Every structure is written in C-alpha cells, then in structure tokens.
Amino acid sequence: RPPSNVSAVSGSSEIIPLACAAVLFDCDGVLVDSREAGERAWTEWAERHGLSAAAVLDGIHGRRAAETVGMFLPPEETAQSVAEVEELELATAGDILGIPGASELVRTIPEDRVALVTSASTRLASRRLQVAGVPIPAVIVDGSDVEHGKPAPDCYLLAAERLGVSIADCVIFEDSPTGIRAGLIAGAKAVVGVGESASSTAATLVVRSLEGIRWDGGLAIPTTALL
C-alpha cells in the first residue's frame, strides 16, 4: 500500500511517484543478490579462525567488514582479516546475480543523479555489479570513506554532498534494517526497503525488487511492486 506521505498520481492508483533530485542505492541485497556468495566467503573465514560460522553470519549484514571482524578478533588482527575476507568475497563474486530490475533502473538514471553507498569496498562492490551486469555509478561512497558506518547517516550524507544535492531531496534504496535506519536518520525524502528483510522496518515503503520501477525525472514505483 502507498504510504500516507507519498501522493498518488492524479486519476491513477497504479503508480507511486517520488519526485527527487537523486537516487542513492545500497549494493548488496538492493542491486545485487550476493547473500549466498558472501555467506560462503564469511563461513570459510570463520572456519579458518576457529569461530562459529552462525555467529559470524549473524553479524555481517549492513555492517562494514572491519566492524564484523572486530566483534570476534582483537584490533591488531583487523586489517589482515579484512583483507583476507575481501579476497574470499572476490573469489565468490562470479556467482552474483542482479536484483530483478536493477540494471534497467540504474541505466536510465542520469549519471549526476545516482550514487552507490555501500559498506563493502569500492573494489568488491564494483566487481559484484560488473558480474551482475548492473551499471557502476560514477559516485561511490564505501565503508572506508566515513568514520562511522551504518546505522550512522554519514555515508548517505556524503553521497548527497558529492552529488551536490540536499539529502532531503534524495530517495534511498536499502534492504537491511541497519541501512534503513541510516537513511532515515540522514533525513532522506524517502527510504525504499527492498525485500523481505525490510518488511518489518520503518522504511517509507517496501518493494519486492526493483522490477518495474522507472526513472522519469523522478521515480515511478508501480503499486504491484509493493510488499
């Protein structure tokens, strides 16, 4: 159902219009389906270090790798382990698939109106997008660009700044509760949750995937896409 703060197209109940200056996308779970590949990499890392894979996997989504590593290993081992995990994740990147509709949507948004905001490194996120056939935005804010990761709003505020727009004129697409909190705290015009993991959050609205969503000087979201 359309949220109360989003108006419907006059004479139509089929499209939810979101006028905005820019669109900010998280990567994993929003543009690409990397869950299985990422969990394989983190499971291998956990086993190498004698850790519970289940406990490690519970701490990876919506967090920077360094923050997850820091939950299990001492600070002096963080840098080496982050590099180790990244190599494992790059090795599994060949299995990445695009979220339905992601390539089509990103391809139509003007370059100066779109940014990628990810807890992963630019190298890993770019590789995943490349494999999935999703265009790589020119503006990327990754986990190393800010002092505080999600749910702090810093990454989204920096992305808006780099695009030269107000965060209040941006729509954010996120899948994890942590990322959705970051977008809401940042003060975005709307935070669109993607997938089941967003269904119990305070996202402005929640969609199954990006299929059918289009750019037309702003976003147009079909009501059939809503969860």
Side-chain angles (χ1 to χ4, degrees):
R1 62 179 176 80
S4 60
N5 62 331
V6 177
S7 60
V9 173
S10 177
S12 171
S13 60
E14 299 300 317
I15 295 294
I16 300 167
L18 285 175
C20 56
V23 186
L24 314 179
F25 291 99
D26 178 38
C27 182
D28 300 299
V30 172
L31 297 178
V32 301
D33 182 358
S34 61
R35 189 180 189 96
E36 183 178 339
E39 289 187 352
R40 284 207 317 274
W42 278 98
T43 295
E44 182 173 343
W45 177 81
E47 291 172 350
R48 287 184 182 183
H49 292 270
L51 300 168
S52 162
V56 170
L57 294 181
D58 191 50
I60 65 175
H61 301 294
R63 288 190 176 96
R64 296 179 290 186
E67 291 163 344
T68 299
V69 168
M71 294 167 63
F72 301 96
L73 297 180
E76 61 269 19
E77 297 182 28
T78 297
Q80 181 178 344
S81 278
V82 168
E84 181 184 1
V85 168
E86 176 147 325
E87 291 306 317
L88 289 170
E89 290 193 290
L90 285 166
T92 63
D95 297 330
I96 301 298
L97 297 173
I99 295 293
S103 178
E104 295 81 357
L105 176 57
V106 176
R107 202 174 300 279
T108 61
I109 303 175
E111 189 175 88
D112 62 349
R113 290 184 174 233
V114 61
L116 183 72
V117 182
T118 177
S119 297
S121 69
T122 295
R123 179 187 180 206
L124 178 57
S126 297
R127 175 61 177 155
R128 286 175 168 172
L129 291 174
Q130 180 184 43
V131 169
V134 179
I136 301 171
V139 173
I140 299 176
V141 173
D142 72 17
S144 67
D145 288 324
V146 292
E147 182 178 355
H148 304 291
K150 303 172 186 177
D154 306 31
C155 53
Y156 281 114
L157 294 172
L158 179 58
E161 180 183 328
R162 288 182 175 177
L163 288 172
V165 299
S166 167
I167 189 66
D169 290 326
C170 294
V171 171
I172 291 171
F173 283 83
E174 265 283 1
D175 69 311
S176 73
T178 302
I180 288 167
R181 276 189 64 202
L184 293 170
I185 293 169
K189 178 168 189 174
V191 179
V192 180
V194 181
E196 292 288 348
S197 61
S199 59
S200 60
T201 70
T204 312
L205 52 85
V206 180
V207 296
R208 292 181 182 83
S209 69
L210 304 186
E211 197 164 19
I213 301 174
R214 68 177 190 271
W215 172 266
D216 186 19
L219 288 166
I221 300 178
T223 55
T224 53
L226 299 181
L227 269 176

